[in-house]
Amino acid sequence: MARQRERAGEGLPHVVWIRFVTPALDARGHSGFVAVAGSVLGAALQLQQPALWPQGIYIVLTVAAFVAWAAVRKARRVGWAALAVALLAGTMLGAGLAGWRASVYARDVLSSDIEGLDLQLEGVVAQMPQPGERGTRFRFDVESARTLAPQDSEGKAPRAGSAVRVPPRVVLTWYRTSLENDSDADRLTAVGASASPVHAGERWRFTVRLRAPHGTLNPHGSDFELNLWEQGVQATGYVRSGAHDVRPERLGASWRHPVERAREILRDKVFERVADRPSAGVVAALLTGDQNAIERDDWSVFRATGVAHLMSISGLHITMFAWLAAAAVGAAWRRSGRLMLAWPAQHAALAGGVLLATLYAVFSGWGLPSQRTVWMLATVALLRLSGARWPWPWVWLCTCAVVVAFDPWALMQAGFWLSFVAVGVLFAAGRAAHEGTEGVDAANDPRRGLAARWARLWREQWVVTLALTPLVLMLFHQVSLIGLVANAIAIPVVTLVITPLAMLGAVLAPLWQLAAWAVEALATLLRWLAALPFASLSMAAPAAWATVAGVGGGVLLAMRLPMAVRLLGVPLLLPALLWHVPRPVPGEFELLGVDIGQGNAVLVRTATHSLLYDAGPAYGAQGDAGERVLVPLMQAMAETLNTVVLSHRDSDHTGGAASVLEAQPAARLRSSIEPGHPLQALRRSERCVAGQRWRWDGVDFELLHPLDADYAAQRKPNDLSCVLRVGNGRAAVLLTGDIESAQEAALVARGEPLQADVLLVPHHGSKTSSSAALLDAVRPRIALVQAGYRNRFGHPASEVVARYRERGVVVVDSARCGAARWTSEHPGELRCQREEARRYWHHRLP
């Protein structure tokens, strides 16, 4: 009951917001508009908090907002002072409610005391499972939890068999192979010889190990922890089913989550009926909203051609469904005179369209983009039904405010900004902004013919593409140059052919094969377009101010204004299109230790050159560090690599190399990998040999290990790690790969120039490395450990960390730091992404 009361508290801020905003918009005109704008601003400001305040402060802000608004309503004249108070009231309300809701969420954070312990959970599978290459992933609603582990030596862990508090919703993975220790989420191998099938709505008892959501955090990168926070997930974990574990037990079926069970059944039937796996994945995604059903290679093609938004149930599909449903309801309503007298057909069509679109969104999984679309449609429908005739900026802002009230964290999502900016651009550049509603009616007049309608749709697509280009560059670091053509073909095919066939297939299964053939034909065309040399353009991600200016410039160019006025948009566009990421001055260099989990990846930049040392791990069928982290990062920085150095063949150093080399065709490859290694087929590698050196922009690069003779001595891969020293005479860094104590001793004995300000800790802090002799020779100020959170190897080892600290070395590990940035101009300082970009939803390590 206590948990239910807490969950009920999450909805209370929504009620408070509605009680405030409804009279605000109706009562005082411009002051109401300003107050609603302030509510969005307040939520945006609250999202910048590195830590939450006590819940009482947010409640005080909410109460103060109502007091301030009451003062505005009593004012005799709405002047600048009243507008300022209205803005303040809205800002306090938005910040108060967003913080209030976040503080309720924060109560469910997983305690660090039970991370990694064996727990017995009972609950219900709350989402259709996601089968993968190595196991099955599913959302689990917890009903009860107790510990199976004995109390630890420090007395911090709960007693065995005692009940423990865990988040009410967790994400579990049931792996298929065995493991002996805890490991990080991406590289975990599994317990048990096989995974028993689980289905949505079933009640199970599992032995699990949980951990707080902890993802990589890099400049311009995605925020895994925010995504889970927004979904209400406060822990992830895996099912244990080894020989010494209590076997998972199915406790029976339940009536909970019937929609998820229906989605699962339909998805599985699509794969049974359609033989072609990639086409079946697209059909299943359009039918059930399961984006994971689409193959990784197909996603690459869809992104390159700018049609990724079409290939799973999104706002576009739900809006189109609402339009078709409204047309059908209106036509049926007009056939009954009694219904027409009871309620106008236009109103019935509007309400019916929104209701049916809501049901469609629920069946598609009720994902966050679908929820945002439903709130938007419902807001517009209510305004129309109320008879309100607001100017388009008011309608646009009100729908935005409603969405933010239900989901304040949407302001941090790319999809939200793309959707609302696109709608705003169409409002601003369309006929309604300049010619009134008569212009819109004329544009929709069927007497103007099909050609005129297509011309108008083409112009709208062009306007949106032009205006959104700066925003797309900031969010995704590349723009599809053939997206306009690809969307002109794909939008009608997907929305009018493939999606209807996929939905009708639920009644008549052979239609799924027709849908799959249509997918194959479209995919063939899209692959051809994606293969064109000019298909997409990667550019540096512009700063926020340049993005805003660029969007404004695009809108200005697209509006129906005199050409002299429209051309003023060109200088507004230029900062976003010509943006360059600052580089070090000649003679200086900088290092970026990329957060990629358990592995190494370090980017070294000089004034005109760049080198990547190692490429991080592979993550299985879901991708690798190159595709998911390094390539997007280098696109955002407009980085062209001159050299890639792979220290040795281990997969946590070379797993992302193929993706990086494919994206960087001019990069030279140096490594210690053997001649028969698969990467040799992608790019012929030059062997790392001690003594090799080169100079870029006044910065010296020298390889110190291995010796040429080491390759003939049948050594293990770690022993052949390429050791690279980078320096300019005033500062230096030493990159060591996975060398161990024997290689460290050899380096010291040879008298190599080892002194460095920053040392990449050998072998991620393993007990076999970081000998006292090496540390005394290097004398680093900073030791950087690149290791995954709660990795199964226990890196970095506590005795190794102690060895560094005894010498006054600052030890920085990527799990606590995120991406680490260092420059030769300030050799004693290292900046951490987790500190500079800290938000309250980010995991804080004890």
Side-chain angles (χ1 to χ4, degrees), residues 418-507:
L418 291 174
S419 298
F420 275 93
V421 172
V423 172
V425 166
L426 290 176
F427 268 135
R431 291 181 180 268
H434 307 288
E435 302 176 13
T437 56
E438 292 83 1
V440 177
D441 294 337
N444 291 325
D445 190 346
R447 292 174 295 180
R448 296 192 60 172
L450 186 61
R453 292 187 178 187
W454 277 109
R456 180 169 178 266
L457 290 174
W458 180 265
R459 179 182 178 278
E460 290 177 347
Q461 184 70 24
W462 163 251
V463 167
V464 170
T465 300
L466 178 64
L468 290 187
T469 294
L471 186 60
V472 170
L473 285 175
M474 186 183 79
L475 296 173
F476 303 111
H477 330 308
Q478 66 177 5
V479 61
S480 175
L481 299 181
I482 43 87
L484 194 63
V485 175
N487 275 279
I489 298 170
I491 287 176
V493 172
V494 172
T495 58
L496 301 179
V497 178
I498 299 175
T499 302
L501 286 174
M503 296 176 67
L504 292 172
V507 179

Side-chain angles (χ1 to χ4, degrees), residues 319-665:
T319 303
M320 180 67 72
F321 185 87
W323 180 76
L324 293 173
V329 170
W333 203 269
R334 290 183 179 91
R335 298 180 65 87
S336 171
R338 182 173 300 177
L339 292 177
M340 290 280 287
L341 291 174
W343 206 22
Q346 297 93 329
H347 291 181
L350 194 60
V354 172
L355 177 61
L356 292 175
T358 302
L359 295 177
Y360 180 45
V362 170
F363 183 76
S364 70
W366 197 235
L368 293 170
S370 298
Q371 293 179 37
R372 292 194 285 264
T373 303
V374 169
W375 306 140
M376 180 187 70
L377 291 173
T379 302
V380 174
L382 288 173
L383 292 175
R384 292 287 300 274
L385 292 174
S386 69
R389 293 294 182 266
W390 292 352
W392 71 261
W394 289 43
V395 176
W396 180 77
L397 181 62
C398 185
T399 56
C400 177
V402 169
V403 170
V404 171
F406 280 95
D407 181 15
W409 303 285
L411 290 169
M412 305 296 292
Q413 301 292 356
F416 170 87
W417 289 105
L418 291 174
S419 298
F420 275 93
V421 172
V423 172
V425 166
L426 290 176
F427 268 135
R431 291 181 180 268
H434 307 288
E435 302 176 13
T437 56
E438 292 83 1
V440 177
D441 294 337
N444 291 325
D445 190 346
R447 292 174 295 180
R448 296 192 60 172
L450 186 61
R453 292 187 178 187
W454 277 109
R456 180 169 178 266
L457 290 174
W458 180 265
R459 179 182 178 278
E460 290 177 347
Q461 184 70 24
W462 163 251
V463 167
V464 170
T465 300
L466 178 64
L468 290 187
T469 294
L471 186 60
V472 170
L473 285 175
M474 186 183 79
L475 296 173
F476 303 111
H477 330 308
Q478 66 177 5
V479 61
S480 175
L481 299 181
I482 43 87
L484 194 63
V485 175
N487 275 279
I489 298 170
I491 287 176
V493 172
V494 172
T495 58
L496 301 179
V497 178
I498 299 175
T499 302
L501 286 174
M503 296 176 67
L504 292 172
V507 179
L508 191 61
L511 294 179
W512 283 332
Q513 185 59 59
L514 295 179
W517 288 336
V519 169
E520 291 179 33
L522 179 61
T524 300
L525 176 61
L526 293 177
R527 290 190 194 98
W528 179 79
L529 290 173
L532 295 175
F534 53 84
S536 62
L537 176 66
S538 297
M539 301 177 68
W545 69 265
T547 302
V548 173
V551 172
V555 173
L556 197 58
L557 282 171
M559 293 177 72
R560 289 187 173 92
L561 295 171
M563 183 56 67
V565 178
R566 294 167 67 181
L567 289 177
L568 294 176
V570 175
L572 293 176
L573 272 172
L574 290 180
L577 298 180
L578 302 178
W579 186 263
H580 288 282
V581 177
R583 299 190 69 92
V585 299
E588 304 293 346
F589 66 103
E590 66 182 26
L591 175 148
L592 176 64
V594 186
D595 188 8
I596 40 77
Q598 182 68 22
N600 281 155
V602 178
L603 179 65
V604 182
R605 305 169 75 230
T606 67
T608 62
H609 294 80
S610 298
L611 175 146
L612 180 68
Y613 183 86
D614 281 339
Y619 301 140
Q622 291 74 31
D624 54 65
E627 178 193 35
R628 286 164 54 173
V629 180
L630 296 173
V631 171
L633 175 64
M634 288 184 286
Q635 287 176 341
M637 300 175 68
E639 204 64 64
T640 300
L641 293 179
N642 300 94
T643 298
V644 175
V645 176
L646 301 178
S647 62
H648 61 296
R649 74 178 322 275
D650 284 0
S651 62
D652 57 334
H653 298 255
T654 62
S659 298
V660 171
L661 294 173
E662 183 179 354
Q664 299 282 341

